[in-house]
Amino acid sequence: MGQTQELGQIIILNGTPRSGKSSIVEAIQEMFDGVWMNLGVDRFMQMTPARYLPGIGLRPGGERQDIEPLVPILYSAMYESIAAHSRLGLNVVVDVGHHDGYAIKRGILTDSAQRLKGLPVLFVGVRCPIEIIIERRQNTGWKAVNAADSLGPNAVELWQREVHIPGIYDLEVDTSLLSPGECAEVIRQHLLNSPAPSAFQRLAALSGN
């Protein structure tokens, strides 16, 4: 029997922690038609053994070189799961903090794109000024356990620089200017008016496969 299942749409929200990605995920799940599964970084970190955390949430800077070799494998498993959901007709929204600021270049993003080759993907950059990110962290009661766990302005600036590479996204939204629902609506309109996003296709081509 031939496969006639329509592919599920994939939306990848990429930005620094507390940039507002999770709130956009919730808005998409509430506002968009159909089933939208959240397969983002927090879900996968919850499944990761404590001694290997932060796993795919590892910050740029090369501070945990002991677990770095595992991170590309974890990302590969994550993206294979995303691809499987899409092939079964389930829509997927993913919130991540892709960067390549590891001790050595890992090429995780291009490998991830290759794993979604042929699937409908919209790659969205989620922006937010550093001062608002720091304020959000403080308002949620976050406290650094030690200096290495701190994510102050300098660390956020590094992550911002690694995440927001010019021209990498199909679309960018700024959560300091738009509410989560407004961001979701911008994404919806982009999907309606631009049915064939190409950012992840370009990234997949960089892998040479």
Side-chain angles (χ1 to χ4, degrees), residues 54-60 63-65 67-68 71 97 99 102 159:
I56 64 172
L58 190 64
R59 305 182 272 283
E63 79 276 19
R64 287 294 309 273
Q65 296 180 38
I67 68 169
E68 270 197 21
V71 174
H99 64 81
Y102 302 101
W159 211 325

Side-chain angles (χ1 to χ4, degrees), residues 16-17 130 133-134 137 151-161:
T16 63
I130 291 175
I133 290 175
I134 298 300
R137 292 181 69 83
L151 193 61
N154 291 339
V156 174
E157 185 177 50
L158 173 60
W159 211 325
Q160 294 266 40
R161 186 166 63 249

Side-chain angles (χ1 to χ4, degrees), residues 12 32 68 72 101 107 112 116 121 156 165 167-168 173 206:
I12 299 174
F32 286 21
E68 270 197 21
S112 300
L116 300 188
V121 183
V156 174
I165 302 171
I168 195 173
V173 294
L206 292 177

